Amino acid sequence: MDNGIHYRTCHLCEAMCGVAIEVKDGQIASVKGDADDPFSHGHICPKAVALQDLHNDPDRLTRPLRRTADGWEEMEWDAAFDFVAERLYQIRREYGRNAVGTYQGNPNVHNHGAMIAGLPFLRALGTQNRFSATSNDQLPHMLANLEMFGHQVLFPIPDIDHSELMICIGANPMASNGSLMSVPDFRGRLKALKARGGQLVVIDPRRTETAREADEFHFVRPGSDALLLMGMLHTLFDEDLVNLGAAEHWSRDLDLVRLACLPYAPEAVAGHTGVDPTQIRILARRLATTQRAVLYGRIGTSTQSFGGIATWLIYLLNILTGKLDATGGLMFTQPAVDLVALGALSGQRGHIGRRHSRVKGLPEFGGEYPASAMADEILTPGDGQIRAFVTIAGNPVLSSPNGTRMEQALEQLDFMVSVDYYLNETTRHADIILPPTHALERSHYDLIFNMMAVRNVAKFSEPLFQPSANARHDWQILLELAHRLERLKKGGRLGLRQELGWQAFKRLGPDALLDVALRTGPYGQPVGRLQPLLQPATDLIEAILPQRHPLRHLTRLSPLDRRWQDLPKGLSLAALREQPHGIDLGPLQPSLPDRLHTRDGKVNLAPRRYLDDLPRLYRMLMSSPEGGMQLIGRRHVRSNNSWMHNSQRLVKGKSRCTMMIHPSDADRLGIVDGHEAEVTSVAGSIVIPAEITEDVMPGVVSIPHGWGHGRAGTSQRVANAHAGASINDVIRDDQIDPVSGTSILNGQTVQIRARQSEQDRQRA
Ligand SMILES: Nc1nc2c(c(=O)[nH]1)N[C@H]1C(S)=C(S)[C@@H](COP(=O)(O)OP(=O)(O)OC[C@H]3O[C@@H](n4cnc5c(=O)[nH]c(N)nc54)[C@H](O)[C@@H]3O)O[C@H]1N2
Ligand SMILES: Nc1nc2c(c(=O)[nH]1)N[C@H]1C(S)=C(S)[C@@H](COP(=O)(O)OP(=O)(O)OC[C@H]3O[C@@H](n4cnc5c(=O)[nH]c(N)nc54)[C@H](O)[C@@H]3O)O[C@H]1N2
Ligand code: SF4
Ligand SMILES: [Mo]
């Protein structure tokens, strides 16, 4: 690669920080923040610096590896593609298309090529047994988007740059750098919020890094947020604070909401939540009376037993206080590639419960079954059992509930292929591993996170290093497999037209599609000489076709669409290439009711699905609070899910894989700081050093996820030397949020006991 400084977007988390990477003699000399990036203004976190460790990592795989009786053997790409396509095809033919299962992990959404090429690959497989990280993550938000706004990816995002009050529940952006809120430099933006006279309130079972920056903090019992939020909602009605603002004209069924929250007076929910009823009332009043305010919830309110209801209530509280689509509140982005419009155009607004998983009967969402159903579908014999499995950028052994069972399941497959560049806890079970290029060898555009950014921005990054001739991108791997599968399905040969189509797709790659999407998007380039014709044509279509006619979407695929009239124009791949620091497209703007996709064009405040789950919440209210210790998760700024632990720079220092426990619980259980404790559930048990701290609520223990390395046959040397234990070995996969099918990763009950040291044991 050329010497000098290269600008790009860091792909590691949702924040999309601009990085400036200096290359000298073909090597990375430094990684710094790009001060000229209009979105991140020079901010980065320690993980960005570790991009060079990823690049230089001797443990990162670069050639296909196939398992043989004598261990792993390198393979040529072409032979590897044929081998995988044939095995998958055979299994599909013998046992039916659902006999192949797939799991798409988190890094896919940071990789536009893999996202785009994943579609034809899944289509070629044609399996209903699809899984992804979604059901361990943001599914409740997508469900609320679908049920209330009519489109699963129409995400409302906190307009933090204009807020004067942010109430943050179940999220720790100081560690995570924000989620469903791409917010580079959360600390800096918080400082600005405070400088405007604004305040931050944090509600969490742990006094987090974000709580330390807050003006006010409340402990809440894990899993009880729905009751707390109901208490706030009740207060709005009780104290006559409901004021929808503009939303009054485009929302429906407010009366049902009023009825739904009737039983949940703050005084009634206080016992379960651990939050003082006066405080609950004050929180509701502050949200209602602060003009620019937002209530924001994430992992802690979504991956828990009432994830569906809690997320619905968070949206409702914003709407009923006039904060939806209002400056400083919960707003919608207008990204340059509008996946909401594109989804609607192709009839993909989302769906739930069209079919149910074979063994547990769990609902599909957007064509995927919950991750909690994965092991069962592999382990349970019968028609439709998964016999071959494909993981793409995922490590479900560490990241999905009941990892131990997941490992047993992977062990008994007939065939497994992993598209991944590490030999880790999951891929060690594969028959063949196909390692893609790494991020600095490919171009980058954030299709997903621009949809969730606190400002509208666009940026395209060129590859920093040319991949070797013997390397393949994720998109190339997926397209090759898809192409070969389609050929096999057609008896070995495709028609000329199809064959030419595949060749063109493979030659042009995802960036060509990205260019089309940019040009036809809201900020696109109106088409040269055709331009004078386009506007009248658009107007005509809009005039003659009925409001909901599918063809009307066609007019929405042009930068001239009336809703986009006032936006700046001229975006294309070439235009982005000229601006390596990225382009600012302005602050979030009100856009409702135009962008709603519900049938009646209104926000549905009281979807049946949530109302049907209310008896379960009511039963919780009426029962006495459960005893036992509750297990929750946490993130750290130097870690990234399960796969950045092979960087010495990031893992050095004191082990971060500890069990935080309150001194009162530690005393009672005889647990000593720094000594090992055993955490047990029906799923299994782990041993982990205790960290005694008043930062975690009594009755609660906190353990980060993504650890538990050091297993036989894995080859991440640094990670293995800092193994830790996997929280998901004690998290059960037989407990889910029934409304959404989301895993309960926070708030499950566990048993804790001090582990006897070897000496104690000998003495006994
Ligand atoms: N208990 C508990 N469990 C959790 C969570 C929690 O909070 N608590 N969080 C959940 C959440 S939010 C998520 S998103 C999931 C994440 O879990 P997963 O989706 O399973 O993803 P990761 O653990 O990040 O593992 C990513 C894998 O992709 C590989 N990889 C990295 N980059 C690339 C690439 O560019 N291409 C390819 N092909 N492979 C790549 C890595 O080597 C690794 O094997 O974990 C979930 N699990
Ligand atoms: N450094 C770093 N950054 C990351 C990641 C990472 O692994 N490391 N992962 C990325 C991914 S994939 C995601 S999805 C995002 C997630 O982003 P965040 O949602 O901000 O993730 P967490 O830091 O896990 O914050 C969840 C918080 O919920 C709290 N919590 C647990 N249970 C409950 C509960 O029942 N109620 C309430 N109110 N709170 C509860 C936890 O104590 C924790 O503070 O982060 C992304 N960014
Ligand atoms: S906050 Fe996220 S995007 Fe920004 S530098 Fe760190 S890992 Fe990269
Ligand atoms: Mo995630």
Side-chain angles (χ1 to χ4, degrees), residues 230-241 266 280-281 284:
M230 274 294 197
M232 290 173 67
L233 205 56
H234 180 99
T235 306
L236 292 184
F237 286 103
D238 193 37
E239 302 189 7
D240 206 13
L241 292 167
I280 299 178
R281 287 189 181 268

Side-chain angles (χ1 to χ4, degrees), residues 374-391:
M374 208 153 42
D376 278 313
E377 294 299 329
I378 300 174
L379 287 166
T380 314
D383 212 21
Q385 180 184 10
I386 297 175
R387 290 165 183 275
F389 204 62
V390 186
T391 65

